[in-house]
């Protein structure tokens, strides 16, 4: 606005100056014309008298003419002497006037017929406009000069009035120009500025920017269209953002790792699972070469082949990073080229198959174990039956012995199948447990009673260890479990304790109940350990300060003990430290596995502390029932 107003004002001022100069010239021209006309009239009228020289009558005539025309008239002879002057009263005054020969207007008139000048009067001491005219006789001979003059003051008064008018006009025009500039800025330049600002905002990503222009002209239409455009852009960008976010959330939530690679084998996108599989940060990997992020040459080759042939590839990569469970990590990778020629990139979909492989191997081991376990007693039965058929049947003593063996092996088989069925039922959640408060003292007493004869047979002392607990709370201690399930747990543990304790040994069963700190639990939690193994992560002990309303039931023996490396494995199916010994003792290798699964089903934990040659302590931790917890 300032530029526009400044330019327009400057133009108005220049116009004013030119106009005022021009009007001054015009006024002078008019004055000159008037002076010339007056001089002509006077010259024509007084030509005869000019020729005859100075006279009182001439002076009087000139004075009168001067008064009438309000103009000073001076008659000058050819030699420059003044003949009459309308501003002088007497002839003597005229005679006293100096010679006018050298006055500029007279000099000009002598040569050119007329002359003019603007100068202070030598006789009147005021600036005058002079106009001199050469007067000629009828024959054309110059006889003198008539000079008409007007004081400049009166001209200046006139020009000043016109100049004032001009400058007033200039001021009005200037104000109009200012107003016009303001209007132009308001209606044209400002909307254009707002539009430019909005366009810049949108270019920098601010799609919410709107233009506020209320013009009813094309600019207004442009602004409204612009607003509609930015509104649509905003909606589209939001939609795009939401779609992108959704895709990222889906990708981030996927268990499978996904990596998108461009034609130059640089990572365009990678999800969290991919980062976890190959130990890199997905956000930091974007834009980096695949080989630099995932150091696997087989994978790199598969990507190269997929890019060049456009055919999908499949491979299984062994992770170079150590798996948390210290096993090798297996990753199944599918390399899918993107459509287009040349191939613009590939998408890698990766799946951790370590767990699958582990389960597969567990399944294989299980089948092998089951077949082996079933085969052994069956082979024995078959062998005894054949022996009987081949003649032993007729030997009463031998036949009795062999039949007893067959019965024994059949019992073993039965025992094994029952154990397997039970384990299968617990694992598949088909076993329905009746979880009720179960009095520990009562169940322990019954179990001890059941095993007393077996213990006595080996002269093993079987007792309850009160461990200095206050008898009331101790005898009323109840856990939340299935009655039969808890019996099975204790039966298995006491049976093992008696089996693996030499004669004259000692087996004690005890329990403690209350808020126990995790560190007080002592025994390594096998249930937890086994679960974490299944997950492939090392178990972490809960924080020491956490209070657990639990009951700990332990079965302690002075038996052969278990080596530290075997302690974590005895809870696995069919795992036996000494296979022959276990079989000889009638073990199936499933007892502790059943204990582990039952305890887990009741929300508890089982663990073992043992020293080879000295004995073992199996501890079962079960949730305390509320009434007992209050005690
Ligand atoms: P089994 O039927 O062979 O006893 P379990 O699952 O009950 O099977 O036990 C697995 C293995 O753990 C046993 O074979 C034995 O080697 C070991 N074990 C269990 N309890 C004891 C114990 N109290 N003392 C020493 N070793 C034991």
């Amino acid at each position: 606005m300032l530029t526009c107003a400044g330019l327009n004002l400057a133009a108005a001022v220049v116009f004013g100056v030119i106009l005022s100069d021009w009007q001054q010239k015009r006024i002078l021209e008019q004055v000159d014309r008037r002076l010339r006309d007056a001089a002509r009239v006077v010259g024509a009228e007084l030509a005869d008298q000019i020729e005859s020289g100075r006279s009182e009558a001439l002076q009087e005539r000139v004075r009168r003419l001067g008064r009438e025309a309000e103009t000073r008239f001076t008659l000058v002879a050819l030699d420059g002497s003044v003949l009459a002057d309308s501003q002088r009263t007497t002839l003597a005054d005229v005679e006293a006037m100096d010679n006018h020969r050298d006055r500029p207007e007279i000099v000009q008139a002598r040569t050119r017929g007329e002359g003019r000048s603007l100068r202070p009067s030598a006789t009147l001491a005021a600036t005058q406009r002079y106009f001199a005219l050469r007067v000629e006789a009828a024959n054309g001979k110059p006889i003198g000069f008539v000079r008409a003059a007007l004081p400049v003051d009166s001209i200046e008064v006139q020009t000043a009035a016109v100049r004032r008018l001009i400058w007033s006009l200039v001021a009005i025009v200037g104000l109009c120009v200012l107003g016009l500039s303001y209007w132009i800025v308001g209606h044209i330049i400002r909307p254009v500025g707002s539009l430019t600002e909005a366009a810049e905002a949108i270019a920098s990503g601010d799609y919410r920017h709107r233009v506020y222009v209320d013009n009813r002209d094309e600019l207004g239409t442009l602004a409204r269209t612009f607003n509609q455009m930015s509104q649509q852009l905003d909606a589209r960008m939001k939609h795009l953002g939401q779609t992108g976010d959704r895709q990222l959330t889906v990708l981030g939530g996927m268990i499978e790792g996904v990596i998108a690679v461009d034609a130059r084998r640089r990572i365009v996108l990678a999800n969290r699972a991919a980062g976890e599989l190959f130990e890199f940060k997905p956000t930091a990997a974007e834009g980096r070469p695949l080989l630099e992020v995932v150091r696997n040459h087989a994978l790199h080759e598969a990507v190269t082949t997929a890019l060049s042939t456009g055919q999908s590839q499949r491979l299984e990569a062994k992770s170079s990073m150590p798996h948390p469970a210290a096993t090798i990590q297996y990753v199944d990778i599918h390399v899918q080229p993107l459509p287009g020629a040349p191939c613009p990139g590939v998408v890698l979909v990766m799946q951790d198959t370590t767990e699958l492989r582990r389960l597969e191997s567990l399944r294989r081991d299980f089948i092998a174990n089951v077949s082996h376990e079933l085969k052994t007693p069956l082979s024995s039965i078959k062998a005894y039956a054949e022996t009987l058929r081949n003649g032993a049947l007729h030997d009463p003593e031998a036949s009795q012995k062999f039949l007893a063996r067959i019965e024994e092996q059949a019992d073993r088989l039965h025992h094994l199948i029952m154990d397997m069925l039970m384990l299968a039922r617990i694992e598949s959640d088909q076993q329905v447990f009746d979880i009720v408060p179960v009095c520990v003292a009562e169940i322990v007493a019954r179990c001890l009673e059941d095993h007393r004869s077996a213990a006595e047979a080996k002269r093993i002392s079987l007792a309850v260890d009160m461990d200095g607990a206050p008898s009331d709370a101790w005898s009323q201690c109840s856990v939340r479990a299935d009655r039969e399930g808890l019996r099975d747990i204790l039966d298995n543990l006491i049976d093992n304790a008696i089996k693996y304790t030499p004669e004259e040994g000692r087996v004690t069963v005890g329990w403690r109940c209350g808020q126990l700190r995790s560190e007080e639990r002592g025994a390594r939690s096998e249930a937890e350990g086994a679960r974490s193994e299944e997950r492939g992560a090392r178990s972490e002990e809960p924080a020491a300060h956490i209070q657990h309303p639990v009951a700990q039931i332990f079965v302690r023996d002075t038996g052969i003990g278990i080596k530290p490396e075997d302690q974590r494995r005895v809870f696995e199916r069919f795992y036996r430290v000494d296979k022959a010994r276990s079989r000889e003792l009638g073990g199936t290798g499933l007892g502790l596995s059943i204990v582990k699964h039952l305890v887990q089903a009741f929300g508890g934990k089982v663990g073992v502390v043992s020293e080879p040659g000295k004995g073992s302590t199996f501890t079962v931790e079960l949730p305390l029932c509320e009434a007992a917890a209050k005690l």
Side-chain angles (χ1 to χ4, degrees):
M1 187 191 151
L2 278 178
T3 317
C4 186
L7 278 172
N8 282 317
L9 277 177
V13 168
V14 169
F15 170 74
V17 170
I18 292 169
L19 194 67
S20 123
D21 190 49
W22 176 81
Q23 68 86 28
Q24 199 168 356
K25 275 188 191 142
R26 296 283 306 155
I27 288 172
L28 266 179
E29 271 175 26
Q30 273 179 13
V31 169
D32 286 352
R33 216 176 296 131
R34 192 182 135 195
L35 288 175
R36 185 195 288 123
D37 292 346
R40 254 192 211 134
V41 171
V42 172
E45 206 167 302
L46 302 178
D48 298 345
Q49 283 158 295
I50 290 170
E51 229 178 344
S52 42
R54 245 181 234 141
S55 69
E56 226 20 276
L58 181 63
Q59 170 59 22
E60 194 44 45
R61 192 78 196 276
V62 168
R63 266 192 72 190
R64 196 161 43 80
L65 281 171
R67 214 170 31 245
E68 281 167 7
E70 288 180 358
T71 308
R72 180 185 169 192
F73 292 114
T74 312
L75 299 184
V76 181
L78 275 178
D79 61 353
S81 58
V82 178
L83 301 176
D85 189 301
S86 62
Q87 299 274 303
R88 298 286 182 275
T89 27
T90 60
L91 195 61
D93 292 341
V94 176
E95 279 167 3
M97 286 173 73
D98 38 323
N99 191 295
H100 277 37
R101 187 194 314 126
D102 299 327
R103 296 288 195 272
E105 64 279 4
I106 299 294
V107 173
Q108 286 171 29
R110 191 187 303 282
T111 51
R112 285 191 255 146
E114 59 183 45
R116 67 198 71 171
S117 74
L118 185 72
R119 58 181 174 77
S121 158
T123 41
L124 294 175
T127 305
Q128 306 263 328
R129 180 66 175 171
Y130 293 100
F131 189 89
L133 195 73
R134 197 172 61 198
V135 185
E136 288 160 3
N139 55 7
K141 195 174 146 243
I143 50 174
F145 305 95
V146 176
R147 189 181 74 173
L150 269 175
V152 171
D153 291 353
S154 66
I155 303 167
E156 269 184 352
V157 167
Q158 266 189 62
T159 52
V162 178
R163 210 180 296 132
R164 254 199 311 279
L165 187 72
I166 287 171
W167 283 114
S168 306
L169 277 172
V170 165
I172 290 166
V173 169
L175 279 174
C176 290
V177 161
L178 262 178
L180 196 70
S181 307
Y182 185 78
W183 185 85
I184 289 173
V185 167
H187 279 75
I188 300 168
I189 296 170
R190 197 175 300 135
V192 172
S194 308
L195 277 165
T196 314
E197 209 175 279
E200 277 169 1
I202 285 178
S204 65
D206 178 10
Y207 302 106
R208 290 183 181 190
H209 202 99
R210 298 282 178 271
V211 195
Y212 298 99
V213 174
D214 44 15
N215 291 29
R216 284 162 193 269
D217 51 13
E218 288 81 355
L219 273 173
T221 316
L222 181 63
R224 276 190 296 280
T225 318
F226 192 91
N227 282 345
Q228 278 170 9
M229 185 193 77
S230 54
Q231 215 169 327
Q232 279 175 6
L233 255 176
D234 188 22
R236 293 244 168 96
M237 290 313 281
K238 261 191 208 142
H239 181 70
L240 261 177
Q242 280 167 356
T243 314
D245 283 355
R246 230 175 286 149
Q247 278 169 358
L248 280 180
T249 315
V250 170
L251 273 179
M254 276 173 73
I255 303 168
E256 287 84 12
V258 176
I259 300 180
V261 179
D262 65 11
R264 292 185 304 150
R265 293 179 206 82
R266 281 180 187 275
I267 294 177
V268 178
L269 183 146
N271 72 348
R272 184 189 46 79
E276 278 169 10
L277 277 176
F278 288 102
E279 298 207 338
F280 65 85
K281 258 191 167 179
T283 42
E286 279 166 25
R288 286 170 60 199
L290 177 67
L291 191 61
E292 193 184 298
V293 178
V294 182
R295 295 206 166 272
N296 189 309
H297 286 276
L299 172 67
H300 196 252
E301 267 171 34
V303 169
T304 311
T305 316
L307 278 172
S308 57
T309 61
Q311 306 272 311
S312 59
Q313 307 287 314
R314 198 165 204 129
L315 75 149
E316 189 174 57
K318 280 186 198 171
S319 166
S320 50
M321 317 287 170
H323 191 259
T327 55
I328 299 167
Q329 188 183 26
Y330 294 92
V331 184
D332 183 42
I333 306 174
H334 183 77
V335 185
Q336 180 66 44
L338 295 174
C343 182
V346 293
V347 174
L348 314 174
V349 180
M350 295 164 273
Q351 197 177 8
D352 187 350
T353 50
T354 317
E355 182 64 8
L356 218 65
R357 277 187 162 237
R358 198 184 70 86
L359 290 174
E360 181 61 24
S361 116
L362 274 181
R363 193 183 63 84
R364 268 200 308 271
D365 290 354
F366 180 73
I367 291 171
N369 277 323
V370 168
S371 340
H372 182 74
E373 293 300 327
L374 291 174
K375 209 176 78 190
T376 318
L378 270 177
S379 308
S380 302
I381 290 171
K382 205 174 167 229
Y384 290 129
E386 271 175 12
T387 318
L388 281 171
R389 191 150 45 90
N390 291 342
L393 197 60
H394 307 292
D395 177 351
E397 201 183 320
S399 61
Q400 278 304 313
K401 193 176 143 201
F402 289 152
L403 280 173
R405 290 279 156 81
I406 288 174
E407 208 172 13
E408 197 179 286
Q409 292 302 322
D411 277 351
R412 199 164 120 75
L413 213 54
H414 175 77
H415 194 179
L416 180 71
I417 290 167
M418 290 312 283
D419 272 5
M420 272 166 51
L421 280 175
M422 181 155 189
L423 201 58
R425 270 207 308 274
I426 304 169
E427 274 190 322
S428 62
D429 283 338
Q430 278 176 4
Q431 180 82 14
V432 182
F433 295 111
D434 184 18
I435 307 286
V436 288
V438 182
C439 178
V440 179
E442 186 194 318
I443 298 289
V444 168
R446 280 200 198 166
C447 288
L448 289 181
E449 211 40 58
D450 290 350
H451 291 88
R452 195 154 304 281
S453 58
E456 276 168 6
K458 285 180 82 179
R459 290 187 303 282
I460 289 171
S461 78
L462 191 59
V464 171
D465 181 359
M466 281 186 60
D467 201 18
S471 62
D472 258 11
W474 186 73
S475 58
Q476 286 172 26
C477 179
S478 294
V479 290
R480 290 187 55 75
D482 177 84
R483 190 175 287 273
E484 283 312 305
L486 185 56
R487 267 192 83 161
D488 284 339
I489 293 169
L490 289 174
D491 271 344
N492 268 307
L493 294 178
I494 297 168
D495 184 50
N496 277 351
I498 296 171
K499 269 196 303 193
Y500 300 107
T501 300
E503 291 188 355
E504 312 280 345
R506 193 157 28 93
V507 173
T508 42
V509 182
W511 62 95
R512 283 192 288 163
C513 53
Q515 303 267 332
L516 300 169
R517 285 155 71 98
S518 4
E519 68 214 348
E520 274 184 293
R521 284 188 248 157
R524 181 184 182 274
S525 160
E526 187 47 47
E528 196 173 70
R531 245 184 286 127
S532 61
E533 265 165 42
E534 276 161 26
R535 267 186 265 116
R538 209 162 278 283
S539 87
E540 271 177 32
E541 276 294 309
H545 63 275
I546 298 173
Q547 303 285 310
H548 301 274
V550 292
Q552 280 184 347
I553 308 168
F554 60 88
V555 177
R556 186 176 294 139
D557 62 57
T558 54
I560 56 169
I562 308 165
K563 280 185 276 175
E565 62 268 28
D566 291 322
Q567 283 176 19
R568 61 158 40 206
R569 301 203 61 191
V570 290
F571 294 92
E572 287 175 19
R573 277 175 293 204
F574 297 117
Y575 187 82
R576 285 173 289 201
V577 178
D578 183 343
K579 276 198 173 59
R581 188 173 191 165
S582 163
R583 253 187 230 120
E584 192 187 306
L585 294 167
T588 58
L590 292 174
L592 286 182
S593 188
I594 291 173
V595 167
K596 182 184 86 177
H597 282 91
L598 280 172
V599 170
Q600 271 178 14
F602 303 156
K605 290 168 179 149
V606 60
V608 62
V609 183
S610 180
E611 207 180 316
K614 289 206 169 164
S616 320
T617 304
F618 282 86
T619 310
V620 171
E621 200 175 277
L622 288 171
L624 214 62
C625 87
E626 274 165 32
K630 276 177 200 145
L631 280 168

